Amino acid sequence: MPWKGEKEPYKIWLSEVILQQTRVEQGWAYYEKFLQAFPTIHDLAGAPEQKVFKLWEGLGYYNRCRHLIATAKKISAEYKGVFPSTYESIRELKGIGPYTAAAIASFAFGLPHAVVDGNVLRVLARYFGLPTPIDTTTGKKLYTELADSLLDKRHPGIYNQAIMDFGATVCKPQNPLCDNCPLQKDCGAYQQDKVGILPVKEKSIRKRTRWLYYFFLETRDNKVYIRQRTGKDIWEDLYEFVLWEAEGPLDLPAEITKKGFARELFGKEPLTVRHISKLYRQQLSHQTIHGQFITVSLGKPLPELKGYLLVDRRKLDEYAFPKFINAWFLDPTPVQSLF
Ligand code: SF4
């Protein structure tokens, strides 16, 4: 990994923020793109937000990007672009939780703070054979105290890196390499035959399924309706086409022949539906998104369509869209041509 052994706090922070909820293989390219576009915190802080969001496009969890911008601005303005060097001051920055603060404090500044990420929790729960769930308040306290007590205070950076790497490569979530593990003899989970059930998690995540139908409404002069998503929902601040969210799956050709089709969106204007896309699906951590894209030609702009911008189709790549919509851009083959 390009950031391994890194001592510069800006780079460690950037890599940690990118890697939260992102696989290393995917995050790597983004890390390099960001460093190239914004070599310093001042560069990131001074960049137009739309440019930063555009570069973040595809990584998901856009709150991370918002926090990245806010923290860069704060460090640029209040710390003259120099990353703060105490654990407490790092922890006060937006989007930096105990894990990222400990990583920056130990890797960049050699401060004695133990990192406690998913890898570390798994190693500790298994090695000590602990049944306490890792996602409860009691569990978080117990594992954090245990991690702190084990930390090599003279070499916190090396120790933290080692235990995280051990969890990622040997004591893996699935198929851990117990047969070749140097800790096998003293490992509680191995000795008690509990490797498969540790660590324990209490909360099972409730998943929600959503059905999003997007209208790609194109005017005669090649303009398209888009809007920026707001509110506390998925894809906040990203752009989308005209959305019709349904309670469940729709039979689109049948819906389209109905008289009152999408009247709440378009009023009485007649629509010429040209294409209906195949069904797209995206799995988010708490939601499964299904949906289709309906390409529509408009004779004239729709006065009823409030809150949407009419933009030149050729300029759509200046706006950041969710991965779900980009998947359609990349593969827009219609399953149904209606015109
Ligand atoms: S023996 Fe298996 S479960 Fe125990 S620490 Fe090693 S890899 Fe992890």
Side-chain angles (χ1 to χ4, degrees), residues 80-140:
K80 298 195 170 83
V82 179
F83 219 95
S85 57
T86 66
Y87 177 83
E88 292 69 27
S89 53
I90 297 169
R91 186 70 182 79
E92 277 171 9
L93 299 168
K94 255 201 164 142
I96 298 191
Y99 160 73
T100 306
I104 297 168
S106 63
F107 298 151
F109 304 112
L111 297 172
H113 291 274
V115 294
V116 185
D117 69 348
N119 286 318
V120 175
L121 287 168
R122 186 170 58 256
V123 172
L124 297 180
R126 284 181 179 164
Y127 181 74
F128 291 98
L130 299 172
T132 312
I134 56 173
D135 55 349
T136 56
T137 312
T138 317
K140 280 179 192 154

Side-chain angles (χ1 to χ4, degrees), residues 123 126-127 166 170-172 176-178 181-184 187-190 195:
V123 172
R126 284 181 179 164
Y127 181 74
F166 181 75
V170 181
C171 197
K172 301 182 290 178
L177 310 179
C178 299
C181 174
L183 305 183
Q184 187 204 81
C187 173
Y190 186 83
V195 176

Side-chain angles (χ1 to χ4, degrees), residues 41-207:
I41 293 186
H42 283 313
D43 295 326
L44 178 57
E49 291 193 7
Q50 190 54 32
K51 185 179 172 188
V52 184
F53 274 110
K54 186 69 195 165
L55 218 59
W56 190 271
E57 194 178 64
L59 267 179
Y61 301 98
Y62 279 80
N63 253 340
R64 291 184 291 167
C65 187
R66 269 184 287 281
H67 290 153
L68 196 75
I69 295 169
T71 291
K73 286 188 194 300
K74 184 178 169 92
I75 296 175
S76 181
E78 293 178 22
Y79 295 94
K80 298 195 170 83
V82 179
F83 219 95
S85 57
T86 66
Y87 177 83
E88 292 69 27
S89 53
I90 297 169
R91 186 70 182 79
E92 277 171 9
L93 299 168
K94 255 201 164 142
I96 298 191
Y99 160 73
T100 306
I104 297 168
S106 63
F107 298 151
F109 304 112
L111 297 172
H113 291 274
V115 294
V116 185
D117 69 348
N119 286 318
V120 175
L121 287 168
R122 186 170 58 256
V123 172
L124 297 180
R126 284 181 179 164
Y127 181 74
F128 291 98
L130 299 172
T132 312
I134 56 173
D135 55 349
T136 56
T137 312
T138 317
K140 280 179 192 154
K141 189 164 177 285
L142 182 137
Y143 290 102
T144 303
E145 283 171 4
L146 183 57
D148 279 335
S149 72
L150 295 167
L151 182 73
D152 178 347
K153 307 243 175 354
R154 286 168 308 143
H155 307 106
I158 293 173
Y159 172 87
N160 280 335
Q161 191 66 63
I163 191 166
M164 286 196 290
D165 283 355
F166 181 75
T169 59
V170 181
C171 197
K172 301 182 290 178
Q174 309 298 331
N175 306 318
L177 310 179
C178 299
D179 288 344
N180 297 311
C181 174
L183 305 183
Q184 187 204 81
K185 197 163 66 64
D186 301 313
C187 173
Y190 186 83
Q191 298 303 334
Q192 297 160 33
D193 201 16
K194 289 186 177 164
V195 176
I197 57 166
L198 292 177
V200 173
K201 274 193 190 172
E202 191 172 80
K203 292 173 200 150
S204 62
I205 297 167
R206 261 195 41 227
K207 297 220 171 133

Side-chain angles (χ1 to χ4, degrees), residues 57 226 238-241 316 319-323 325-326 329:
E57 194 178 64
I226 63 169
L238 298 187
Y239 285 83
E240 65 181 356
F241 304 122
L316 284 179
Y319 298 85
F321 288 92
K323 197 172 163 187
I325 292 181
N326 281 327
F329 278 140

Side-chain angles (χ1 to χ4, degrees), residues 232-252:
K232 291 271 162 261
D233 194 4
I234 55 169
W235 307 333
E236 194 184 339
D237 289 339
L238 298 187
Y239 285 83
E240 65 181 356
F241 304 122
V242 178
L243 172 64
W244 189 21
E245 180 158 3
E247 295 289 316
L250 296 178
D251 177 358
L252 279 179

